[in-house]
Amino acid sequence: MAFPFITSKTIIKIFLLFPILIIFLLSLSNGDEAANTTNEVTNIGAIIDVSSRIGKEEKIAMEIAAENFNNNHSKTHKLFLYFQDPGQDPLQVVSAADELIKEKKVQVILGMNKWEEAALVAAVGNKANVPVISFAAPAKTPPMMQQRWPFLIQMANNDSAHIECIAEIVRAHNWKRVIAVYEDDAYGSDSGMLSLLSGALQKFDSEIEYCFLFPPVSSLSNAGGFVLDKLLELEKNTQSRVFIVLQSSMSMVSHLFREAKKVGLVGRESAWIIPESVTSVLDSVNNSVISSMEGALGIKTYYSKSTSSYKDFYTLFTKTFQTKYPEEHNPEPGIYALRAYDSIMTISQAIERTISNTSRSSPKKFLENILSSNFSGLTGQISFEAGKLPQTPILRIINVVGKGYVQLDFWTPESGFSESLVMNKSTEKIVGRLPGTVIWPGSIRSPKGWAMPTEQKKLKIGVPGNTSFQKFVKVDYGQTPYKYDGWCIEVFQKVRENLSYSLPYEFVPYDGNYADLVYNVYNKTYDAVVGDITILANRTQSVQFTQPYAASGLSMVVPAKPEGSPWMFFKPFTWNMWGATGIILIYTMLIVWFLEHQFNPAFSGPLKNQIGTTLWFTFSTLFSAQSEKVYSNLTRVVVVVWLFVVLILTSSYTASLSSMLTVLRLQPVEDIEWLKSSNSKVGCDGDSFVMSYLQNVLGFNPSNIIKVTTESDYKGHFENKSIAAAFLELPYEKVFINKYCKGYNTSAATYRFGGFGFVFQKGSPIARDFSEAILRLSEAGILEDLEQKCLTPSRECLTETSTNAEPLSFQNFWGLYLISGVTSAICLLLSLIRLIKNYKHNQKADQGSSTPSPTSVWNKAVGLAKYFYNGEISTALERAPSLSHTPDLEDHWSSSRWEEVSTSDIPDNIIQASPPAEIELSSS
């Protein structure tokens, strides 16, 4: 059956429309799927220098991070990266950011390895409400930073930790002056690092001597020649040899080290410290460049290489980097690559939080999601406070050795240097040394960091050409070359011999005042000054002194006069000594009288005769001229001890009086106030600071100050009475008095100064070495021996150094008086015991067998006194005619035979038959 309405043309049309129908049905199917899985895209702008090593690492790292995110979220979200080169013009950075925002519609911008670039891009991001993640941070955080750039996020720490670490390296090696080196950029700024470094160094008493500024290497047609000229100029005008590179491109650093090595500024006594922008790419530079940097110290931010995430990233990065940049020597990633990777990871996590949040996303919400990041990245923990990383970095010190480098110590602001990451927080911060061993080129010791003298360029030392006292410094102009002598020169030679290294030098005489001589060290006319230079506070502000090798102070010298007095004979003893001597003399006199009164006829008779005899006997012992006889053994004991006391007293008195009469007591005519009030003329050295000191501090009228030029002129001015006093520093006074000790006297050095020291330029390590040598010589007594040999060789005045002989006081003799007093008291006590026994015995004999009537104590005492005063010997002699010896001669008070005999029984002829023993003292 035929179908008349279907023709061949109709069949052809149906056949042609069938594919179109299939395509339409497929499109409908895809549309239904898209309704369920919509792909969203986040555009990320990156402003980096992709032509540099750092830029290449950052680009690869960001691409790897974006690819990882896209692979994990291929059906929901994708990241697209757009790269822009910042160029050298600041306006180009702004236009690049503006282009990324307006044309590429980026939601976030990252990169910018210079803070100036980051600040410009942040301003653009503020206007467009686009977050800006910066790979750079300011050296010091500006005030109100978050309010000024609310959309700015810093992925890097500021430079304060790096600068502090550099300062502590400088301190660890005792470098006092450094040279700051930095390459200028299109922004004409050092980002505040220079002021930050200066402040950090000042904490350790160091300073920046010179700022070595280079223009951008791209602006130089002959960078090597330019750098060489600058280095030669620097070598001529500076002394410091510690170079701190604050900021520089690797290209400029290559030229810098290559030319520095040619002129001898690498190695020997030079030291270099390089920043992280250089140390992070050391693995990628060729061997010739890194070998020229041998011995340099560098700083790197520490990051762990043991995590699985780092190992995965490392494998992928090296493979990709080698493929895209086969011309690069080393494919390993550095801190900049890791930071770029963590930046993309921060954005990725913010996007994931945005996806999980059903609310509508906004730029501000996206910024909040970025700032709320908290994860462990390749560089460490990633979190933000006030738009920046709160964690302080752990830094690693490296040392360039040969064609590579070794990693030394860790450093943190809290713990200082440490050999390991295990840092004990209880220990004190280590800032005095580096635990690790630094390998310096050609030396095992730390470089001095100073232009040390050589035979070709000796230490130029200024010496005072004309001094008032030539025992200190003397220049003999009659010889060729000039001959330098004196105590200061001798001390310098001793110190130089005590150094651990040779010190080539040359002396140059200077005919001028001391202030100008010191200033010539400050203006670098001289490297040092050797002479009698006093350490003063105002001088230490411009130069550096060594430890003083002699004490210094202001002393007043005046003509001396002998002190005379008609009462000089009283002065050997003090008044309390005279009083004590009189008391002990009277006490001894009374004891002698009491012991001799009963037995010795010379101490009997009328009262006035007894007093006269007793006084004469006691006083005559002072002169060894008495000849009275004593009867009692107790008296002899008292007299012997008393004679010993008298011998000591008379000998001491004679010695003290002789000293006072033989050695003149010299006294200043008047004090300083009298000199000023009386307008008296005074003399001083006009070339020293003493003249201005007398005017400005002590208040002398300038017209009353006489300038004295030589040592002998002082004596001449005194003799012709043109000056009443002379003001000399203590070392000069010692020399003057040593020569003229008999005619002049000095006051104590009331006004003290810093002493004599050698002068060097500020920061010179030679000054420190000299100070240590001076201390060693002083401790060994060598300086004192040298001072006596050169300054005070005369021994004539040694016995006359003390012109004020001290009188003898009671404190010197109280022990002697105590012995005499106790001895006399014991003898008195024994005599009283004997007297009481005899008194009782006689009472019993007189009363016989009759009963004794009671008597009062007073009557007993009166009876005993009468018994004593009437005389015991005469009565005893009447009652004992058979006794043929004197009782006192044989301890009669202890004999029982004597106690039984009545004193009335001794006849008078016993005394005549047996005379008493005598003590006759005759003066020899």
Side-chain angles (χ1 to χ4, degrees):
M1 174 178 170
F3 298 91
F5 59 90
I6 299 176
T7 64
S8 59
K9 291 183 178 181
T10 302
I11 294 173
I12 294 172
K13 289 181 180 179
I14 292 172
F15 181 78
L16 293 174
L17 291 174
F18 183 76
I20 298 174
L21 180 62
I22 296 298
I23 294 173
F24 176 73
L25 292 175
L26 289 174
S27 65
L28 290 176
S29 176
N30 291 336
D32 294 337
E33 185 178 356
N36 297 325
T37 58
T38 303
N39 276 321
E40 293 187 10
V41 176
T42 298
N43 295 326
I44 301 175
I47 301 177
I48 58 175
D49 182 9
V50 294
S51 63
S52 66
R53 168 72 191 206
I54 292 176
K56 293 175 183 178
E57 290 186 14
E58 290 172 340
K59 184 175 183 294
I60 296 297
M62 285 189 281
E63 289 174 347
I64 292 174
E67 185 178 355
N68 289 342
F69 178 84
N70 292 339
N71 292 337
N72 294 332
H73 303 80
S74 60
K75 295 182 179 180
T76 59
H77 216 105
K78 287 190 179 293
L79 299 180
F80 281 172
L81 297 175
Y82 296 94
F83 294 96
Q84 287 282 355
D85 193 325
Q88 301 296 325
D89 188 356
L91 296 177
Q92 190 173 344
V93 177
V94 176
S95 63
D98 194 58
E99 180 182 347
L100 289 172
I101 294 173
K102 292 180 178 179
E103 296 184 8
K104 304 300 181 182
K105 307 300 180 182
V106 298
Q107 284 85 29
V108 61
I109 298 176
L110 72 164
M112 293 78 67
N113 287 304
K114 294 180 180 179
W115 168 245
E116 292 80 8
E117 295 175 351
L120 293 173
V121 175
V124 177
N126 284 350
K127 294 179 182 179
N129 291 339
V130 173
V132 175
I133 300 178
S134 168
F135 294 168
K140 294 183 291 185
T141 303
M144 306 294 289
M145 181 175 175
Q146 195 171 16
Q147 290 75 15
R148 185 177 180 183
W149 297 298
F151 281 82
L152 177 63
I153 304 165
Q154 300 176 47
M155 279 296 294
N157 298 97
N158 61 29
D159 294 321
S160 59
H162 289 75
I163 296 298
E164 186 178 349
C165 180
I166 291 173
E168 291 191 5
I169 292 175
V170 171
R171 178 188 180 180
H173 293 88
N174 286 318
W175 296 325
K176 295 303 180 182
R177 303 186 92 176
V178 303
I179 296 174
V181 181
Y182 63 91
E183 180 184 358
D184 199 5
D185 52 27
Y187 304 93
S189 171
D190 61 359
S191 303
M193 287 189 292
L194 197 61
S195 61
L196 199 64
L197 177 63
S198 178
L201 291 175
Q202 286 178 4
K203 294 179 182 178
F204 303 134
D205 196 27
S206 298
E207 63 180 354
I208 299 174
E209 179 185 8
Y210 186 78
C211 295
F212 197 11
L213 173 64
F214 289 109
V217 66
S218 58
S219 65
L220 299 174
S221 58
N222 182 11
F226 179 85
V227 170
L228 179 61
D229 293 340
K230 287 290 185 179
L231 288 174
L232 291 173
E233 181 182 346
L234 180 144
E235 183 186 26
K236 180 180 179 181
N237 297 326
T238 62
Q239 293 292 322
S240 175
R241 292 297 180 264
V242 180
F243 301 91
I244 299 176
V245 182
L246 291 176
Q247 68 178 28
S248 178
S249 64
M250 193 63 218
S251 300
M252 179 58 78
V253 168
S254 301
H255 290 295
L256 182 62
F257 275 94
R258 188 181 295 115
E259 303 304 327
K261 193 168 186 179
K262 290 180 182 178
V263 298
L265 294 179
V266 176
R268 292 190 298 182
E269 302 299 342
S270 299
W272 290 78
I273 302 176
I274 53 180
E276 187 167 35
S277 60
V278 177
T279 58
S280 62
V281 297
L282 281 179
D283 295 318
S284 63
V285 300
N286 58 54
N287 293 337
S288 63
V289 174
I290 198 169
S291 61
S292 66
M293 302 168 63
E294 186 174 9
L297 296 175
I299 299 173
K300 295 181 69 175
T301 300
Y302 170 78
Y303 52 87
S304 177
K305 296 182 180 182
S306 60
T307 62
S308 59
S309 57
Y310 175 82
K311 292 177 181 178
D312 295 339
F313 170 77
Y314 178 85
T315 302
L316 190 56
F317 180 89
T318 54
K319 181 179 178 181
T320 307
F321 195 85
Q322 281 180 327
T323 303
K324 288 195 175 183
Y325 305 106
E327 72 279 2
E328 293 289 344
H329 300 288
N330 184 16
E332 295 183 4
I335 184 64
Y336 291 96
L338 273 58
R339 190 174 292 149
Y341 182 89
D342 285 345
S343 299
I344 299 297
M345 292 300 296
T346 302
I347 297 172
S348 300
Q349 293 199 4
I351 292 173
E352 290 177 351
R353 282 188 288 274
T354 303
I355 294 173
S356 63
N357 193 342
T358 58
S359 62
R360 186 174 180 273
S361 178
S362 65
K364 189 173 182 180
K365 188 64 178 179
F366 186 37
L367 174 66
E368 291 176 357
N369 287 333
I370 295 176
L371 292 175
S372 62
S373 299
N374 189 5
F375 66 97
S376 181
L378 299 182
T379 58
Q381 190 65 27
I382 304 297
S383 62
F384 299 98
E385 291 181 7
K388 58 184 180 180
L389 297 173
Q391 297 83 8
T392 55
I394 299 175
L395 303 181
R396 192 73 186 266
I397 313 300
I398 69 156
N399 180 203
V400 178
V401 179
K403 297 180 180 180
Y405 64 88
V406 294
Q407 299 189 22
L408 300 177
D409 306 319
F410 297 94
W411 182 91
T412 62
E414 297 80 15
S415 303
F417 298 109
S418 175
E419 290 184 286
S420 65
L421 282 175
V422 182
M423 301 176 185
N424 189 355
K425 297 184 181 297
S426 64
T427 58
E428 294 184 357
K429 182 176 180 180
I430 302 175
V431 295
R433 60 182 177 85
L434 269 71
T437 302
V438 181
I439 300 176
W440 305 102
S443 176
I444 59 174
R445 63 171 178 83
S446 173
K448 296 290 184 181
W450 196 259
M452 296 298 288
T454 63
E455 290 295 338
Q456 293 74 27
K457 189 178 180 181
K458 298 181 179 181
L459 191 72
K460 190 176 182 181
I461 301 176
V463 176
N466 293 297
T467 58
S468 299
F469 290 80
Q470 295 194 346
K471 281 192 175 183
F472 292 87
V473 178
K474 180 181 180 181
V475 182
D476 188 352
Y477 293 97
Q479 298 189 28
T480 305
Y482 299 151
K483 183 181 179 181
Y484 300 87
D485 198 4
W487 177 57
C488 297
I489 304 298
E490 292 284 341
V491 173
F492 169 78
Q493 299 294 358
K494 286 290 184 182
V495 172
R496 193 175 68 90
E497 294 171 3
N498 202 262
L499 298 177
S500 59
Y501 52 88
S502 62
L503 188 70
Y505 70 94
E506 60 175 341
F507 285 140
V508 179
Y510 179 79
D511 189 10
N513 60 49
Y514 285 77
D516 292 341
L517 179 57
V518 172
Y519 183 78
N520 280 336
V521 177
Y522 172 72
N523 65 19
K524 300 181 181 179
T525 301
Y526 300 129
D527 299 317
V529 167
V530 170
D532 46 345
I533 309 296
T534 305
I535 302 173
L536 300 175
N538 62 335
R539 291 176 177 176
T540 58
Q541 297 176 4
S542 55
V543 296
Q544 183 172 347
F545 283 91
T546 64
Q547 283 284 333
Y549 56 86
S552 178
L554 193 62
S555 179
M556 182 175 69
V557 179
V558 296
K561 61 179 181 181
E563 180 189 18
S565 172
W567 306 103
M568 177 67 74
F569 61 89
F570 277 116
K571 293 200 172 182
F573 288 165
T574 60
W575 288 112
N576 61 0
M577 179 65 180
W578 283 115
T581 304
I583 291 172
I584 197 67
L585 187 146
I586 295 173
Y587 173 74
T588 304
M589 177 187 72
L590 294 175
I591 296 296
V592 170
W593 174 79
F594 184 86
L595 297 177
E596 289 294 313
H597 173 72
Q598 291 181 298
F599 311 111
N600 195 335
F603 290 86
S604 302
L607 181 61
K608 63 179 180 179
N609 291 342
Q610 294 182 46
I611 294 175
T613 302
T614 305
L615 287 173
W616 169 252
F617 176 84
T618 307
F619 277 98
S620 63
T621 58
L622 296 175
F623 313 102
S624 300
Q626 61 85 26
S627 59
E628 278 70 17
K629 302 173 184 177
V630 293
Y631 286 76
S632 174
N633 286 334
L634 294 175
T635 307
R636 296 187 182 101
V637 173
V638 172
V639 171
V640 167
V641 174
W642 172 247
L643 290 177
F644 177 73
V645 173
V646 169
L647 176 65
I648 299 298
L649 288 178
T650 53
S651 300
S652 301
Y653 177 88
T654 303
S656 180
L657 183 62
S658 299
S659 175
M660 291 182 175
L661 294 176
T662 304
V663 180
L664 296 179
R665 173 173 288 182
L666 306 178
Q667 294 183 339
V669 288
E670 291 292 347
D671 58 11
I672 293 178
E673 294 302 323
W674 180 87
L675 291 173
K676 292 192 293 185
S677 61
S678 63
N679 283 326
S680 299
K681 303 290 185 180
V682 296
C684 70
D685 186 356
D687 291 332
S688 72
F689 74 97
V690 176
M691 178 172 285
S692 61
Y693 189 86
L694 293 178
Q695 299 177 23
N696 302 327
V697 179
L698 298 184
F700 278 91
N701 191 327
S703 61
N704 291 332
I705 302 176
I706 306 299
K707 180 178 178 181
V708 184
T709 56
T710 64
E711 176 185 351
S712 58
D713 287 346
Y714 283 100
K715 186 173 184 295
H717 283 293
F718 277 124
E719 289 177 347
N720 60 30
K721 301 188 182 302
S722 58
I723 61 173
F727 286 91
L728 301 174
E729 290 186 72
L730 190 58
Y732 304 144
E733 175 257 311
K734 288 182 180 179
V735 173
F736 186 83
I737 295 300
N738 184 259
K739 188 174 181 179
Y740 306 108
C741 60
K742 294 185 177 180
Y744 300 93
N745 188 27
T746 64
S747 67
T750 307
Y751 306 94
R752 293 287 181 177
F753 307 122
F756 284 178
F758 300 125
V759 185
F760 290 89
Q761 294 180 14
K762 262 191 172 298
S764 172
I766 305 176
R768 181 178 64 250
D769 296 339
F770 262 58
S771 295
E772 294 175 358
I774 288 172
L775 290 176
R776 288 193 295 268
L777 293 174
S778 180
E779 292 169 1
I782 297 176
L783 289 184
E784 183 178 358
D785 295 341
L786 197 61
E787 179 179 345
Q788 293 179 357
K789 170 188 172 184
C790 297
L791 300 185
T792 56
S794 175
R795 316 299 292 179
E796 180 182 355
C797 299
L798 292 181
T799 58
E800 302 180 8
T801 53
S802 177
T803 59
N804 296 319
E806 294 292 333
L808 300 174
S809 66
F810 177 72
Q811 295 295 328
N812 304 116
F813 296 96
W814 68 269
L816 190 64
Y817 288 169
L818 180 64
I819 293 173
S820 176
V822 170
T823 303
S824 299
I826 292 173
C827 293
L828 175 64
L829 182 61
L830 293 175
S831 178
L832 282 173
I833 293 173
R834 179 185 59 80
L835 178 64
I836 293 172
K837 284 185 177 181
N838 291 336
Y839 174 68
K840 289 182 178 181
H841 180 76
N842 289 336
Q843 271 189 331
K844 291 179 180 180
D846 292 340
Q847 292 175 357
S849 60
S850 61
T851 303
S853 60
T855 57
S856 64
V857 175
W858 172 255
N859 291 332
K860 290 181 179 180
V862 171
L864 180 63
K866 289 181 178 179
Y867 176 74
F868 166 76
Y869 189 77
N870 289 334
E872 181 179 321
I873 293 180
S874 59
T875 306
L877 292 175
E878 291 173 359
R879 294 194 177 190
S882 61
L883 191 65
S884 61
H885 57 80
T886 305
D888 277 6
L889 297 179
E890 296 182 8
D891 297 334
H892 58 273
W893 57 82
S894 60
S895 172
S896 58
R897 171 75 181 87
W898 173 253
E899 290 175 356
E900 295 173 358
V901 180
S902 174
T903 57
S904 61
D905 297 335
I906 302 176
D908 293 339
N909 59 4
I910 292 297
I911 298 176
Q912 302 296 329
S914 181
E918 298 179 356
I919 296 179
E920 296 191 11
L921 303 177
S922 59
S923 58
S924 55

